Structures are given as structure tokens and as C-alpha cells.
Amino acid sequence: MRIMLFSSQRYDQESFLAGNVGHAFELNFQNARLDFDTAALAEGYPVVCAFINDDLSAPVLERLAVGGTRLIALRSAGYNHIDLIAARRLDMDVVRVPAYSPYAVAEHAVALILALSRRLHRAYNRTRDGDFSLHGLIGFDLRGKTVGVIGTGQIGTVFAQIMAGFGCRVLAFDPQPNSALLALGAEYVELDEMLAASDILSLHCPLLPATRHLIDAARLQLMKRGAMLINTSRGALVDAPALIEALKSGHLGYLGLDVYEEEAQLFFQDRSDLPLQDDVLARLLTFPNVVVTAHQAFLTQEALEAIAATTLNNVAAWSAGQPCNQVVA
Ligand code: NAD
């Protein structure tokens, strides 16, 4: 079976080659992002393996179908970026990796919180420059703070457990409450109540039509003045231009982003020698109380191994007509 992997980085090659030892699939690694033009590269490949910023809209799927692609193997948990209706119309199956390491993403959210609360990003640059002063570096204790968790599935649960371990009070919001959170002593509340009460708010829900711009200008205003917002889930959960106003006024005290609505043309690439064309991201990066990482929350050794193993097992199960973590519209 031939598999074309789009948007593949060196670390993908290493984990997929190691995971392929027991399968012997023919793997073709493409650094290119999948879009309408690059779809032609997959001609003759029954399986296309795609990542989160690949374009899986109807026109791209149609082009892949003409080239003989029958399966889209997403090497991600999220599947908001594929047109599932078009895939079904084209008789194309879609599989994903429902869980690889919730710890990877939850721990990255905590890393962003600690970097911001203890101003590590500023201290790192300062000491490297021979500046050992402490002005402007006053942090805050996490113990006793209220943390709001939006989405209490696999990642949100691990995140809540870690924050409870710091001695935080955990508030949760999810249409499907989870007993693991209740066991922690967390309290499910309405979203507006959470926004008003939380010192730290962390997003762990999927991107759906109902959650697009879940955090917009109005909801930012409902947050406690000086609170911290963390988004390691999907960029479009937050209205990014509204963040700028909230940061400028000081209403939003801290912002940690691992995802950004317009990340597709930027993240996973070295663009350090090019002028940044995205004015919203450029402005966000000027604030001293903002830390942005380029969608790296998933990037741990354990997660990469699990992503490769599950993806290749999905393809093997699909070709044998067995259950394969299929996503249906
Ligand atoms: P999950 O399916 O286990 O949990 C998602 C939870 O969100 C569910 O409990 C669901 O009921 C809840 N939810 C749905 N709609 C909601 C709403 N309107 N408000 C509040 N909660 C809602 O998913 P997961 O494995 O925990 O992953 C969560 C998200 O994390 C994924 O959808 C993906 O977007 C993101 N993610 C990011 C990275 C990264 O590298 N940054 C990696 C993996 C996943």
C-alpha cells in the first residue's frame, strides 16, 4: 500500500519509518502542504496522510479522488479541517488519531501558564543579555487561583488534574460533564459564570460551528480584569483581533497561544528572514505579556510515536475492512 504524507517534517519521517517496521507500507514524505496544486503529487496513492494545516476542502478532495485516493488518514485528533460531506460524496474514507498523548497538550498549556505567570520568556532574554535585574518580573502563585477549563474531554481532564495538583480551584464547562472532573472536586458552571470567576481560562474544546469565536470581544469583557487566556486547542475558537484591544486596555492580563486562526500559511515553517505579513499576529507578538508557540503542544516523543503507530494501524485496519478510527459526517 502506497501512502503519501503531506506537510511531513523530519520528525514525522523518523517516527513513521520506525512505526512502519511491522507494516512495510510504501511511504512517500512530502514537505509540501496539501492544497489544490500539490494534490496532483498524490496521483496513484490510495492513501493520503494529512496534518492539521493541510487543505482538505471539497476541491482538493475531488482532485485527490481523480488521482485514485480512497483514504484520508489524518495524523491528528481534530478533524475540523476536512469537508466530511465532500469525502462521503466522493466515497472516500477518513480516519484519525483520536488519542495520542493528552499529557503532551495539557502539559504544554501548563508550560504556557508558568512561562507567563513567572515571566520566563522575559527572564530568559534578560539573563542572556547580562541583565540580572528583577524589575517587571513579579509573578503570582498558582495555589488558590481559579482555573476555568472549557472542554473536559481527554486533554481538558489531564489539564484540570494538573491544575488541581497546584492547589487551584477548578471550574469546568462542557455540554457533557465528565465524572473524572467531579472526582477532582471541580465544579461545572455556566460559561459566563466561569469567565467572571476565573484567573486563568484554558480552551480544550473542539472547533465546531458552535465554538467558532467562542471567545470574542464580548466574552473577553466578561473575563476578570487581568486574567490569563490560554488556547492550545484551535485558533478559530478565539477572535484574534479582539485580543489586541483587550490586551491594549489591560483587561486581558496574559495570553498564551499555541494555535492561531490564520496559522496555516505560517506555522511549521521557518519564515524568520521574511517580513511577517499578518498584522494581527505581528501586533500580538509585540505585547510583553503574550507568549505564542507555533502549534507545538502535540510535539513530544511519546505523542509522535503514538501518532505514527495509530495512523499506520488505521491504514492496515482500513485495508482489511476492520474498525479503524473512522470519522463520519
Ligand atoms: P475530546 O473529544 O476528548 O474532548 C473535547 C471535549 O470538548 C468533549 O468533552 C466535548 O464534550 C467538549 N465540547 C464540545 N463542544 C463544546 C462546547 N461548545 N463547549 C465546551 N466544551 C465542548 O478532545 P481532546 O482530545 O481533549 O482534544 C481537544 C482539542 O484539542 C481537539 O479538538 C483539538 O482541537 C485540540 N488539540 C490540539 C493539539 C495541539 O497540538 N495544540 C493537539 C491535539 C488536540
Side-chain angles (χ1 to χ4, degrees), residues 69-83:
T69 298
R70 309 273 18 108
L71 175 69
I72 303 294
L74 301 175
R75 51 181 195 280
S76 60
Y79 51 89
N80 54 283
H81 56 311
I82 182 162
D83 186 333

Side-chain angles (χ1 to χ4, degrees), residues 52 77-78 80 96 98-100 105 150-156 173-176 204-208 210-211 214 232-234 258-259 295-299:
I52 41 187
N80 54 283
R96 68 174 180 131
Y100 42 90
V105 183
I150 300 186
T152 53
Q154 299 168 95
I155 296 169
F173 174 73
D174 192 310
Q176 294 181 309
H204 300 287
C205 59
L207 176 61
L208 306 165
T211 58
L214 182 72
T232 56
S233 199
R234 283 292 179 268
D258 184 53
V259 288
H295 211 134
Q296 72 175 76
F298 74 99
L299 195 66

Side-chain angles (χ1 to χ4, degrees), residues 124-205:
Y124 174 81
N125 286 326
R126 208 178 273 191
T127 54
R128 284 173 74 90
D129 200 30
D131 176 356
F132 304 108
S133 68
L134 297 182
H135 61 88
L137 299 185
I138 298 173
F140 63 83
D141 290 1
L142 288 175
R143 184 182 158 76
K145 296 295 183 296
T146 299
V147 177
V149 187
I150 300 186
T152 53
Q154 299 168 95
I155 296 169
T157 299
V158 173
F159 173 78
Q161 288 165 341
I162 298 171
M163 298 316 291
F166 276 112
C168 296
R169 171 184 176 225
V170 177
L171 299 180
F173 174 73
D174 192 310
Q176 294 181 309
N178 177 344
S179 57
L181 268 280
L182 297 173
L184 268 185
E187 206 183 322
Y188 278 91
V189 294
E190 288 305 316
L191 184 55
D192 288 359
E193 185 184 342
M194 171 188 285
L195 295 174
S198 297
D199 300 293
I200 298 169
L201 190 72
S202 193
L203 306 181
H204 300 287
C205 59

Side-chain angles (χ1 to χ4, degrees), residues 4 6 30 33-45 48 60 63-64 66-67 69:
M4 172 74 80
F6 283 95
Q30 285 293 334
R33 177 176 167 261
L34 174 62
D35 60 20
F36 188 74
D37 296 324
T38 60
L41 295 169
E43 192 171 334
Y45 283 79
V48 160
V60 177
R63 198 155 192 185
L64 290 174
V66 170
T69 298

